[in-house]
Amino acid sequence: MEGWGYKLINLGCKGKSEEQMHGVSDGPLRGDGVTYYDRDVETCDRERLQELQTRKLLALLNKVAKTNPFYRRKWAAVGLTDPRGVQSPRDFFKLPFTTKGELVEDQATNPPFGTNLSIPITRFVRLHQTSGTTGKPLKWLDTVQSWNWWLRCWSYVYKGAGIGPSDRIFMSFSFGPFIGFWTAYEAAEKIGALAIPGGGLESLLRLHSLLENEATVLVCTPTYALRLAQIAAENNIDLVNSPIRKTIHAGEPGASIPATKKQIEASWGAKCFDHTGMTEVGATGFECVAQPGGIHLIESEFIFEVIDPETGSQLPEGKEGELVITNLGRFGMPVFRYRSGDRVKLNYGRCECGRTFARMEGGILGRVDDMIVVRGINVFPSAIENIIRQYSEVEEFQVEVTREKEMNELHLRLELNPSIQSSQAVSSVVKAIANDLHTRLALRVETTVVPAGSLPRFDLKARRFIISAPGRK
Ligand SMILES: [Zn+2]
């Protein structure tokens, strides 16, 4: 059959022996072998995976095209009034993209939930919303069925990281309208682990609770894992020898930024895993224990494409572009060909863990709109973070972009570890970082060392990059 992706790769499931599948070591840290949520699907060949996707998609389109006012309007505008008009990936890829802007506008025009509803409102049982950091939050509804689908996707995340019934998972956040908290918590139950809520506590009390209850897994943003480690160090708490053996992160790209990952692993004595997802889409990806440097996409529950963000045309395997997502298990409030805004590069080769699910190499590489041009040089925030996080002397940092004489300039503010006292030691760290930024990114950055504790701290999504003047590309 015709492929969803860029070329149809028939890898076959039978290439590896049972021992090879299970014999993957997860590195020098404490850990175990490969575990799957649904081994059959996770290791099957691409052709079978695409058959599964097609079957789910056609069933979904058939229902949505009849009852969902938002998609009926969108598709009628391109001449599709009968879902039977979509029979193959070729037909499907003619359907228009969905953008976040459209969904926000639809909810603003048709408050409070918009018209992307395939079933009566009374059938929904859960409401969540996006963080709203880039505008008005988007509200999203789930049914019992789509909620279970979310938890299934999260089970892939836990199992992929080798987490199971013997684990105790500490959720170091207060439960708000952000969907990730609830799904992480409830999916812990699905895999038989013990879920420990860490809400309503100051950071130090969270650390005490985590240790007292002998938690083995920590779930939080990468920024907050480093923040907790700083607080532990200030209070002489030994995390390296604590029962925590794994950490799972989302919300920021940090856990896939090599230097940040390394710092989290060193400060917790644990293996760090990245995970991706979006409120309006679902839990889309996870890192396996083999960790070849990428995040597996849950292709049994979604259809993923990579496009050129400028032209919208599909890109071949291995080309960096914008990730476009269709979810296959959220009938009540679905998204078709949703432009995620995330920059990724996909690899369809079989992973060391045995999975054939595609991998985002290097995780989410950034946002399609977060590139800054500084004196003619294209710079992504993640590249700067990867350099700064190699210096354990840096406790926190902030990058401000200002426009001066029609040029973007970068100003870096560093908060150093209080143990770095002498002006000589301070200047040597600053020089080393400036030198690295210059040799590796060709950036000349004005750097200031600011007093300890003066930069903002973040429990959730960090905002370390401030654009204080126009000039952002
Ligand atoms: Zn893998």
Side-chain angles (χ1 to χ4, degrees):
M1 65 173 281
E2 200 177 349
W4 288 117
Y6 326 99
K7 62 178 179 180
L8 201 136
I9 310 162
N10 191 348
L11 293 154
C13 302
K14 299 184 180 73
K16 285 194 171 187
S17 69
E18 192 87 351
E19 294 71 37
Q20 280 174 311
M21 294 270 198
H22 287 278
V24 179
S25 147
D26 71 349
L29 296 156
R30 292 164 285 171
D32 45 24
V34 176
T35 55
Y36 304 97
Y37 172 64
D38 185 343
R39 178 181 171 150
D40 192 31
V41 160
E42 289 174 75
T43 60
C44 81
D45 64 56
R46 187 139 290 274
E47 195 171 354
R48 232 191 91 206
L49 197 54
Q50 287 165 354
E51 277 168 19
L52 177 73
Q53 290 175 321
T54 308
R55 210 170 53 238
K56 287 187 179 182
L57 176 73
L58 296 183
L60 187 67
L61 278 175
N62 195 33
K63 291 195 269 187
V64 170
K66 285 180 190 155
T67 59
N68 184 304
F70 179 80
Y71 278 106
R72 276 173 70 99
R73 264 199 320 275
K74 265 181 86 69
W75 293 341
V78 294
L80 181 91
T81 47
D82 186 338
R84 284 170 299 186
V86 175
Q87 287 300 320
S88 68
R90 189 187 292 274
D91 300 330
F92 177 66
F93 293 141
K94 283 185 194 150
L95 296 182
F97 295 118
T98 306
T99 64
K100 186 167 183 182
E102 269 177 281
L103 296 168
V104 169
E105 196 185 315
D106 178 52
Q107 293 196 348
T109 318
N110 305 280
F113 306 123
T115 60
N116 180 16
L117 303 168
S118 316
I119 46 174
I121 200 83
T122 49
R123 295 264 306 276
F124 292 97
V125 296
R126 301 259 179 175
L127 167 66
H128 297 93
Q129 64 182 46
T130 59
S131 62
T133 41
T134 52
K136 197 170 161 43
L138 200 53
K139 295 175 190 295
W140 220 261
L141 296 163
D142 277 290
T143 61
V144 171
Q145 173 271 337
S146 70
W147 189 250
N148 280 328
W149 170 79
W150 255 100
L151 302 186
R152 186 160 78 238
C153 294
W154 248 98
S155 302
Y156 281 98
V157 179
Y158 282 135
K159 288 297 202 176
I163 293 164
S166 59
D167 281 298
R168 299 178 187 182
I169 308 178
F170 190 84
M171 314 286 166
S172 54
F173 34 74
S174 294
F175 284 70
F178 177 53
I179 199 164
F181 304 151
W182 301 91
T183 46
Y185 191 79
E186 292 191 24
E189 180 191 308
K190 290 276 175 206
I191 59 151
L194 181 69
I196 309 171
L201 298 172
E202 294 292 321
S203 296
L204 185 57
L205 289 175
R206 274 192 182 138
L207 282 169
H208 285 310
S209 165
L210 175 151
L211 294 170
E212 259 169 40
N213 294 306
E214 296 173 2
T216 58
V217 177
L218 170 73
V219 181
C220 62
T221 61
T223 295
Y224 195 59
L226 289 173
R227 175 82 189 121
L228 282 177
Q230 276 171 16
I231 294 166
E234 285 160 22
N235 291 277
N236 297 317
I237 296 171
D238 177 12
L239 289 181
V240 173
N241 293 304
S242 77
I244 292 283
R245 63 186 190 103
K246 291 181 175 174
T247 65
I248 295 189
H249 307 285
E252 304 165 359
S256 282
I257 296 174
T260 306
K261 193 184 198 76
K262 213 167 146 187
Q263 207 174 88
I264 293 171
E265 293 193 333
S267 56
W268 283 85
K271 189 154 176 166
C272 159
F273 293 84
D274 202 0
H275 149 63
T276 54
M278 296 174 103
T279 305
E280 64 275 38
V281 178
T284 51
F286 63 91
E287 226 179 336
C288 66
V289 294
Q291 293 201 340
I295 298 179
H296 282 290
L297 288 167
I298 308 175
E299 291 191 273
S300 51
E301 309 295 343
F302 301 88
I303 293 168
F304 299 99
E305 308 163 54
V306 178
I307 61 159
D308 178 329
E310 303 287 327
T311 64
S313 58
Q314 281 189 347
L315 294 173
E317 177 185 352
K319 283 271 179 225
E320 190 177 317
E322 181 178 354
L323 187 69
V324 171
I325 312 169
T326 298
N327 52 14
L328 300 171
R330 225 174 173 188
F331 161 62
M333 209 168 176
V335 287
F336 292 90
R337 305 198 76 205
Y338 185 64
R339 294 190 61 157
S340 69
D342 290 330
R343 286 188 305 112
V344 302
K345 189 161 93 172
L346 298 193
N347 179 338
Y348 285 85
R350 184 185 285 273
C351 179
E352 284 168 60
C353 71
R355 286 181 180 85
T356 46
F357 282 179
R359 286 193 319 273
M360 296 188 272
E361 288 186 340
I364 290 172
L365 303 170
R367 301 283 299 167
V368 290
D369 57 359
D370 72 359
M371 188 175 80
I372 305 157
V373 182
V374 183
R375 296 178 176 270
I377 297 159
N378 299 344
V379 189
F380 287 102
S382 56
I384 298 177
E385 173 168 345
N386 191 32
I387 289 174
I388 296 171
R389 287 289 186 212
Q390 278 163 12
Y391 292 85
S392 57
E393 298 91 339
V394 177
E395 295 254 310
E396 192 52 82
F397 69 95
Q398 187 180 63
V399 178
E400 188 180 6
V401 183
T402 58
R403 194 156 173 84
E404 289 158 23
K405 297 181 194 147
E406 299 304 304
M407 301 271 255
N408 282 337
E409 296 288 346
L410 286 190
H411 305 269
L412 171 63
R413 296 187 190 97
L414 295 175
E415 226 182 77
L416 299 181
N417 189 298
S419 65
I420 302 164
Q421 295 278 346
S422 76
S423 58
Q424 202 181 1
V426 170
S427 96
S428 107
V429 175
V430 170
K431 264 191 199 151
I433 292 174
N435 196 35
D436 252 3
L437 288 169
H438 183 55
T439 52
R440 290 165 63 183
L441 302 179
L443 279 180
R444 282 189 194 282
V445 178
E446 182 197 294
T447 308
T448 319
V449 175
V450 297
S454 62
L455 292 177
R457 296 298 198 268
F458 307 91
D459 284 7
L460 289 173
K461 291 188 185 201
R463 302 196 78 176
R464 297 196 177 86
F465 289 80
I466 305 168
I467 315 285
S468 64
R472 192 171 184 194
K473 189 170 170 178

